[in-house]
Amino acid sequence: MKLKHVLLSAAVALSFVPAVQAKPFKWTSQGEISTWDIHSQNNALQSGLHANVYESLVYYNSRTFQVEPVLATAWREVSPTQMRFTLREGVKFHDGSVMTADDVVYSLNRAMAKTSNFTPFTQGISKVVKVDAKNIDILLTSPNPVLLRQLTELRVMSKAWAEKNKSVEPKDIKGTEETYAHRNAMGTGPYTLESWQPDVKMVFKRNPNWWGKMEGNATEIVYTPIKSAATRIAALLSGEVDFVIDPTPQDLARLRANPDLKVVDGLENRTIFLGMDQYRDELPGSNIKGKNPLKDMRVRKALYQAIDADTISRSIMRGLGKPTGTLVAPQVAGWTEAVGKRMPYSVDAAKKLLAEAGYPDGFEVDFACPNNRYINDEAICQAVTAMWSRVGVKAKLRTLPLVNYFPMIQRNEASIYMLGWGVPTFDALYSLQSLVRTVGAGGDGNYNVGRYSNQRMDYLVDRIKVETDAPVRARMLTEALQLSNDTVSHIPLHDQVIPWAMKKNVEMVHRADNRVDMRMVKVN
């Protein structure tokens, strides 16, 4: 026991060494988050920020993307449907209270609540039970080959804090009611949330009681959302900020040429695509009455083939978008070169398909896009609108900031919409279950806001959830992706390439999920 305490003390002491030379770290992107409730809304910017304040049982190593212990130190299979996790001892929440097995059980169950947007990550979990003070069991409905990867996104909240502050259930992101957990945070992570002024800034301070070892040296981190690309770049050039996570393609050449800056590139595991309402019998605002053109696969295929993805990649993305024909990026299990191939761009083919479907003159349709979430999102949608006009489709484009956009599309209020889908599990099940599985319970179709439904797809997704034979499962993942392509469930556009721009004296690890791991930020 004494040796253990000596080692622990040494680790804690080491974690403070860099703080002597530490400097504040200031960074920016175009987006703002919608809530600090860890189970309310599922998007990558938000989850990445949450992960610095709240921790999960396991998380990805930022360099290798292998799953590593965090709040759990070990796990073992008791049976194919029972996994036991041993909890890290001595972990404290930011208010000084000790994290217990009850907190972990409560948090995982909270992620399964009706108002939670994190049910894709609880897929296959039947219930979570406390074994004793040091162990919990996750009981499964059937074997789950991606459970550990799902757990990287299920963060732990204090049960007592949630009860005290009337935040037992996640905030319903589709509604307007606020809870204490919406604007406040109290986790176990390496940083505490000191303040959040929506659309202005959020401030994080180093947690002096964190159990882990800090590789970085930032004691204060300030995140400022700046919608204007020109203003973001000006802030970097003037030294007002140290890091821009989303520099615009047109600015990259001068940023790379600046001797005081550096640009680090990497392919993100995020695919940008368009979804379509395939459920309603009539589209609001369309000139076609009594029927929904988007239910016709020929129309969906026409819209796809009318988009010149290469021109968008070259002219708008300037190489920061790699055209794709499927819903997941190459790093994701299930992707193959064949399944990623796009249908050819052809105005003539698109016009012919529309005529065959009974729309020789095209039609009017609502088209919604975010204007501060993805690289050049608004410009892409403007280009698509122009391309569709060449085949007679008159898309009425409306753009919204992400805090309004995502709740809107989740209320099924858009006929055609843009979405970018990263894959935290690096496994295509995450995308297939969320995007093309018929809407149901347990995370099925939770972002299938076009309400696509296909019986064969549902069968494949449900099989993939429980299949433990790796080669068989891989074939089914690819088959499901190909089925999505063949039925034009969505219109894939491109996989994002992410450049990070920063001052020369900043060191960070570029992650394929486009998240800033604050534990590793060094300001020299």
Side-chain angles (χ1 to χ4, degrees), residues 434-497:
S434 295
L435 300 173
V436 293
R437 175 65 170 80
T438 299
V439 177
D444 287 345
N446 81 315
Y447 258 93
N448 182 0
V449 293
R451 290 172 284 185
Y452 166 90
S453 186
N454 180 286
Q455 190 173 359
R456 175 65 181 172
M457 182 67 77
D458 292 348
Y459 167 79
L460 286 168
V461 172
D462 291 345
R463 276 284 310 278
I464 291 164
K465 289 177 187 176
V466 301
E467 182 56 63
T468 54
D469 184 311
V472 172
R473 189 174 184 278
R475 285 196 298 272
M476 288 194 293
L477 286 170
T478 303
E479 181 187 342
L481 290 170
Q482 188 61 52
L483 179 60
S484 167
N485 297 355
D486 294 343
T487 56
V488 198
S489 72
H490 297 74
I491 300 174
L493 296 176
H494 54 257
D495 301 322
Q496 283 193 161
V497 176

Side-chain angles (χ1 to χ4, degrees), residues 330-352:
Q331 307 101 312
V332 177
W335 183 92
T336 65
E337 192 171 340
V339 88
K341 187 176 181 182
R342 283 188 66 79
M343 279 194 279
Y345 161 62
S346 173
V347 169
D348 290 340
K351 286 181 176 178
K352 186 177 180 216

Side-chain angles (χ1 to χ4, degrees), residues 336-492:
T336 65
E337 192 171 340
V339 88
K341 187 176 181 182
R342 283 188 66 79
M343 279 194 279
Y345 161 62
S346 173
V347 169
D348 290 340
K351 286 181 176 178
K352 186 177 180 216
L353 284 163
L354 286 171
E356 288 174 2
Y359 306 100
D361 301 318
F363 56 91
E364 295 175 5
V365 66
D366 164 64
F367 182 23
C369 284
N371 57 23
N372 66 340
R373 178 61 190 101
Y374 312 115
I375 298 175
N376 285 353
D377 42 15
E378 186 170 12
I380 293 167
C381 292
Q382 289 169 343
V384 168
T385 300
M387 291 171 184
W388 282 343
S389 70
R390 295 175 198 155
V391 298
V393 174
K394 304 166 194 70
K396 294 179 280 189
L397 179 63
R398 55 193 173 103
T399 63
L400 297 86
L402 68 89
V403 292
N404 306 118
Y405 179 77
F406 287 105
M408 181 275 295
I409 64 171
Q410 287 181 283
R411 293 192 299 266
N412 307 114
E413 293 175 4
S415 296
I416 303 179
Y417 55 92
M418 171 184 273
L419 195 58
W421 201 250
V423 189
T425 61
F426 289 83
D427 185 277
L429 171 62
Y430 176 73
S431 300
L432 294 166
Q433 183 187 7
S434 295
L435 300 173
V436 293
R437 175 65 170 80
T438 299
V439 177
D444 287 345
N446 81 315
Y447 258 93
N448 182 0
V449 293
R451 290 172 284 185
Y452 166 90
S453 186
N454 180 286
Q455 190 173 359
R456 175 65 181 172
M457 182 67 77
D458 292 348
Y459 167 79
L460 286 168
V461 172
D462 291 345
R463 276 284 310 278
I464 291 164
K465 289 177 187 176
V466 301
E467 182 56 63
T468 54
D469 184 311
V472 172
R473 189 174 184 278
R475 285 196 298 272
M476 288 194 293
L477 286 170
T478 303
E479 181 187 342
L481 290 170
Q482 188 61 52
L483 179 60
S484 167
N485 297 355
D486 294 343
T487 56
V488 198
S489 72
H490 297 74
I491 300 174

Side-chain angles (χ1 to χ4, degrees), residues 174-344:
K174 300 174 189 176
T176 56
E177 183 183 349
E178 286 195 9
T179 62
Y180 190 79
H182 169 62
R183 291 191 179 270
N184 299 274
M186 208 277 288
T188 61
Y191 286 87
T192 62
L193 177 68
E194 290 299 296
S195 63
W196 177 38
Q197 298 168 266
D199 296 315
V200 180
K201 69 176 179 178
M202 62 180 76
V203 179
F204 304 86
K205 292 285 180 68
R206 177 95 157 257
N207 172 17
N209 299 313
W210 185 50
W211 57 267
K213 181 180 176 180
M214 185 77 71
E215 183 175 324
N217 67 354
T219 52
E220 178 181 87
I221 293 180
V222 179
Y223 172 73
T224 305
I226 304 176
K227 183 179 175 183
S228 164
T231 307
R232 287 198 304 280
I233 298 305
L236 180 64
L237 292 170
S238 70
E240 186 182 339
V241 299
D242 303 297
F243 169 60
V244 176
I245 202 170
D246 52 357
T248 53
Q250 57 268 32
D251 287 311
L252 288 175
R254 67 175 174 139
L255 294 177
R256 293 186 201 278
N258 190 312
D260 298 322
L261 303 176
K262 60 184 176 183
V263 177
V264 180
D265 297 287
L267 184 65
E268 190 183 14
N269 67 341
R270 177 178 305 283
T271 302
I272 308 296
F273 53 84
L274 304 177
M276 297 159 284
D277 184 335
Q278 298 165 58
Y279 180 79
R280 281 184 285 201
D281 293 326
E282 182 178 302
L283 298 175
S286 175
N287 63 331
I288 303 299
K289 304 302 177 186
K291 60 179 176 177
N292 175 356
L294 300 176
K295 286 189 175 187
D296 192 317
M297 191 169 74
R298 293 169 296 184
V299 171
R300 301 197 299 274
K301 188 175 179 182
L303 292 174
Y304 183 136
Q305 292 199 263
I307 296 173
D308 185 349
D310 288 333
T311 292
I312 290 173
S313 175
R314 184 177 62 253
S315 302
I316 297 175
M317 299 300 290
R318 303 196 187 194
L320 297 186
K322 182 182 176 186
T324 183
T326 195
L327 290 176
V328 299
Q331 307 101 312
V332 177
W335 183 92
T336 65
E337 192 171 340
V339 88
K341 187 176 181 182
R342 283 188 66 79
M343 279 194 279

Side-chain angles (χ1 to χ4, degrees), residues 60 65 67 121 146-153 424-426:
Y60 290 120
F65 266 87
V67 172
F121 299 106
V146 290
L147 176 64
L148 286 179
R149 292 178 177 273
Q150 290 173 193
L151 289 173
T152 62
E153 290 297 271
T425 61
F426 289 83

